[in-house]
Amino acid sequence: MKAGFVSIFGRPNAGKSTLLNALMGEKLAIVSPKVQTTRHRIKGILTEPEYQIIFSDTPGIIEPKYKLQEKMMFAVRQALEDVDVALLMVDVKENLVEVNTIFEALRLKVPAIIVVNKLDDVSAARKEEVFAFFGSKSYCKAIAGISALKKTGLQELINAILQFLPDNPPFFEGDEMTDLPTRFFCAELIREKIFYLYQEEIPYHTTVIVNEFKEKSSLIKISADIIVNRETQKGILLGVGGKMIKQLGTEARKDIEQFLGQKVFLELFVKVRPKWRDNEFMLKEYGYH
Ligand code: GDP
Ligand code: K
Ligand code: MG
């Protein structure tokens, strides 16, 4: 059997999280049109009779400006070190020279497959141009064109990956889909809704932690804290008469119910923790290791 580890790299919004979800057929990684939605390294374990591929989604490659971002880049660097194949993902419309500079700076020691994404949204001529550009780069061992959104080109991508995977026994049981606890995914689904419902900097000042996850007879009771930096942000999250947080709760609950396949009772609390993004102790508490 072939088995190994594959990390997905790329700039913010290339479509890394969408690809992980498409490959897994399950929403493991939250997705939004805003950059830096993904903060953790999230594993998806794809097991078939002939192979097991352990994919890691990673935060987009950026220059860190605060400690939370340093942790995010640490997750990226770590994901570069111990894999069999790196997927270097580009949005087909990105600036190729800029992307190439970033990919070269990674100084990869592992084989890289260039994954050209969002082909649903571009001309055949542009696709040719992008393929020709990366095809000539020394770090590019193979190139695959996909649409993560429309789920096209995925089998070809898997075939390309399999060329580089070693013969190994499986690392995980066949029914394991990820290495992270369920409550982590529930917190992430709440965080995703915050990216959609609130403007500008609010999502970047916010994190979510699930404090209680209890299976009762017919439903699951989940309590979560939404952590913000300032009182004013708490006010924005709540909205006039609690209108916004109510909507947040309803939308998040629906997604969590779909993820768990069970009815959920969701309670949300907003807490102010000044400067949590730069506080080592709080970052640990909120799951950023
Ligand atoms: P990440 O930051 O690299 O993880 O990117 P996301 O997966 O969060 O996607 C960023 C945005 O690009 C979202 O709005 C996605 O819906 C969109 N997107 C991802 N893949 C595709 C694709 O294949 N085609 C199109 N048209 N949009 C995509
Ligand atoms: K994103
Ligand atoms: Mg992402």
Side-chain angles (χ1 to χ4, degrees), residues 13 32 34 37:
N13 278 355
S32 97
K34 297 200 171 100
T37 308

Side-chain angles (χ1 to χ4, degrees), residues 7 18 20 36 46 55 64 74 96 104 157 173 175 179 186 196 245 252 254:
S7 277
T18 307
L20 181 77
Q36 294 176 46
L46 186 64
F55 290 101
F74 185 75
L96 301 181
E104 281 186 337
L157 173 59
E173 302 282 338
D175 58 354
D179 61 333
C186 297
Y196 281 98
I245 191 125
K254 283 185 193 151

Side-chain angles (χ1 to χ4, degrees), residues 11-18 31-33 38 117-118 120 147-149:
R11 292 170 104 190
N13 278 355
K16 301 176 291 297
S17 298
T18 307
V31 171
S32 97
T38 306
N117 189 30
K118 310 199 185 181
D120 56 283
S147 165
L149 193 66

